[in-house]
Amino acid sequence: MKVLYYECFAGISGDMNLGAMIDLGVDPDHLRKELSGLPVHGYELKVEKDSRRGILGTRVDVLINRDSDTDPEHRHSSHREIIKLIGESNLPEKVKNTSLKIFKILAEAEARVHGTSADDIHFHEVGAVDSIVDIVGAAICMHWFEPDAVWCSPLQLGGGMAECVHGSYPVPAPATMEILRNIPVRTGKVDFEATTPTGAAIMAACASHFGEEFSFTILGTGYGIGKKDGRIPNVVRVSLCETHEPEPGDTRTIPSAIIECNLDDMNPEYYGYVMDALFQAGAKDVYLTPVIMKKSRPAMTISVLCDTENEAALGEILFRETSTLGLRKYRVEKTMLERRTEVVETRYGKIRIKSAWYRGSCIRKKAEYEDCAAIARQHRIPLSQVYREVDRQTGNQNEEPGNGRQV
């Protein structure tokens, strides 16, 4: 399987991505030729070698022709206009589809931030010609390599404040935060905007898995140079890899631990409090099992599933918050399906849908109970009615509503 692996330890932007892809092997003339299929003019794609902290790579700049009659600088383009622009272009269909997917993610994020619909959103920086080139260029480069999968490390967001047409805003930008829901991120390595909304949208649209523990053979590596610099090199590294391992989304086996103790002399009212404390401290699962102990005393076994590095902290909670005098620990392997979360907009409000994936296919979905219950209380309607609305939105007709079933 051929994989593109992104290491975003210093974040990612649209121009950094183009630089890395060219550095990895995309022909700049091919990129320019494909971009000429867009009805966008008045710009020049500048490609040159540059370095950050001693790392040599490729820097890409989109230079706007200020004197051109077709100069689109600062033109605010709506999502509808961009869809029309790409749809009427001479780009290959697969490039069109990837470009539209990236813009859709951006539009939906901006719409959530500004409280409007994705169709009506008007981009500002994102609508400028350089960002259109960055996004369509990203799609062109992806299809140059035709990878079987795109994997990505956690994204560095940066810190501090940045400037936009609305004034100063905190890093990361609100749109970036929306785009990167349910995606691993890090903050604070640099005091500037490390991951831009465009960079975030490219990764959200193209990457199938985010993490750091992968097994592959590296065939080539490219570095995309960013415009800024800090105490870590402002570059994104992209590697072309080959692996015989299954897609990480199939299953993941994680070394884990079980911590247990038997309790026969504790007030049952305490169990809920203890379970909440364990979950807040990082427990992956906590469950109670009724048991019969010596002298036929009824008791409870409290079991805590956790990552191995979290054993000590969770054990301390059990010692401090329960009546136990000792703990049992043993190692286990936890095998997990890939899980994703999407948000469905219903007539009652937004509801999260969790899905499980195996071998590239969604094998089950389930509406988030807490969201459905909150909506049922808010609108004073039966919980089953909320589940029926979710069924209507997702096209699921296979199960009776209201029985805790999967969607």
Side-chain angles (χ1 to χ4, degrees):
M1 183 167 70
K2 185 165 63 173
V3 175
L4 282 175
Y5 177 48
Y6 278 77
E7 293 175 88
C8 301
F9 50 82
I12 184 170
S13 61
D15 58 289
M16 290 169 71
N17 174 63
L18 290 183
M21 295 294 246
I22 290 173
D23 207 55
L24 185 58
V26 173
D27 185 346
D29 290 334
H30 169 79
L31 179 58
R32 292 186 180 98
K33 180 181 176 182
E34 291 289 282
L35 285 170
S36 68
L38 273 173
V40 174
H41 310 285
Y43 74 92
E44 175 190 350
L45 196 68
K46 182 180 179 182
V47 178
E48 60 184 352
K49 286 292 183 180
D50 200 351
S51 66
R52 289 289 181 271
R53 300 282 169 176
I55 296 179
L56 182 66
T58 299
R59 177 171 170 175
V60 172
D61 291 294
V62 180
L63 304 179
I64 305 298
N65 183 355
R66 312 285 179 184
D67 300 323
S68 171
D69 292 335
T70 58
D71 176 9
E73 182 191 18
H74 300 311
R75 185 179 66 190
H76 295 186
S77 299
S78 72
H79 187 213
R80 287 175 177 158
E81 291 169 339
I82 290 173
I83 291 173
K84 185 172 184 290
L85 180 147
I86 293 173
E88 294 178 353
S89 71
N90 294 323
L91 294 166
E93 282 302 313
K94 57 188 178 182
V95 172
K96 288 182 182 180
N97 292 337
T98 301
S99 302
L100 291 172
K101 182 179 180 181
I102 298 169
F103 266 113
K104 183 174 186 289
I105 289 172
L106 270 170
E108 289 175 345
E110 292 282 358
R112 287 193 294 269
V113 169
H114 297 297
T116 185
S117 69
D119 285 341
D120 294 331
I121 197 70
H122 276 72
F123 298 115
H124 300 293
E125 286 83 5
V126 172
V129 66
D130 56 339
S131 291
I132 294 173
V133 171
D134 284 344
I135 289 171
V136 176
I140 293 168
C141 292
M142 284 289 175
H143 292 290
W144 166 278
F145 290 108
E146 292 292 356
D148 298 303
V150 177
W151 298 345
C152 184
S153 73
L155 285 81
Q156 172 62 224
L157 301 180
M161 303 291 289
E163 299 295 324
C164 73
V165 294
H166 298 294
S168 297
Y169 59 80
V171 171
T176 303
M177 290 288 280
E178 290 292 328
I179 292 166
L180 296 179
R181 286 185 183 184
N182 304 307
I183 290 176
V185 299
R186 293 188 173 125
T187 63
K189 279 287 186 181
V190 293
D191 60 354
F192 54 80
E193 184 179 37
T195 294
T196 66
T198 298
I202 291 169
M203 289 294 93
C206 298
S208 60
H209 192 74
F210 294 83
E212 293 177 305
E213 297 183 6
F214 301 107
S215 175
F216 46 64
T217 301
I218 298 172
L219 304 178
T221 299
Y223 293 89
I225 306 297
K227 292 182 173 65
K228 297 184 178 181
D229 202 7
R231 60 189 182 90
I232 60 173
N234 187 212
V235 303
V236 62
R237 179 162 61 194
V238 183
S239 298
L240 181 63
C241 310
E242 190 174 70
T243 181
H244 298 292
E245 297 292 323
E247 172 77 14
D250 289 352
T251 59
R252 283 192 299 153
T253 300
I254 302 170
S256 302
I258 295 284
I259 309 173
E260 290 183 341
C261 60
N262 293 346
L263 305 170
D264 66 353
D265 58 351
M266 191 173 84
N267 185 338
E269 292 179 345
Y270 294 175
Y271 285 123
Y273 178 86
V274 173
M275 293 177 77
D276 288 344
L278 290 165
F279 278 122
Q280 289 173 10
K284 301 302 181 185
D285 197 7
V286 181
Y287 53 95
L288 301 174
T289 306
V291 296
I292 301 296
M293 295 179 60
K294 63 182 180 181
K295 300 181 181 179
S296 299
R297 290 200 301 262
M300 284 286 183
T301 297
I302 183 165
S303 302
V304 183
L305 175 66
C306 63
D307 294 335
T308 52
E309 63 268 21
N310 214 15
E311 289 179 46
L314 295 169
E316 182 175 346
I317 291 174
L318 290 173
F319 278 131
R320 288 182 177 276
E321 299 291 351
T322 76
S323 59
T324 190
L325 299 177
L327 302 174
R328 297 184 300 276
K329 300 179 184 178
Y330 52 93
R331 298 298 174 90
V332 297
E333 284 190 346
K334 181 175 64 173
T335 300
M336 299 174 59
L337 293 173
E338 180 189 5
R339 286 175 277 187
R340 302 180 189 176
T341 302
E342 59 181 314
V343 178
V344 172
E345 185 74 52
T346 74
R347 58 178 170 163
Y348 301 122
K350 295 179 179 178
I351 297 175
R352 288 169 292 171
I353 306 294
K354 294 182 178 179
S355 57
W357 292 70
Y358 183 65
R359 294 184 176 177
S361 299
C362 178
I363 61 173
R364 66 181 67 94
K365 289 186 176 183
K366 185 177 185 299
E368 180 63 54
Y369 164 77
E370 295 294 345
D371 292 358
C372 294
I375 284 176
R377 296 187 192 101
Q378 177 185 353
H379 293 276
R380 297 183 179 180
I381 58 178
L383 182 61
S384 60
Q385 187 172 331
V386 181
Y387 277 112
R388 280 197 295 270
E389 174 65 13
V390 174
D391 289 341
R392 188 182 69 83
Q393 290 290 336
T394 60
N396 181 67
Q397 303 294 333
N398 294 326
E399 302 188 36
E400 291 300 317
N403 58 3
R405 74 288 176 274
Q406 298 167 350
V407 176

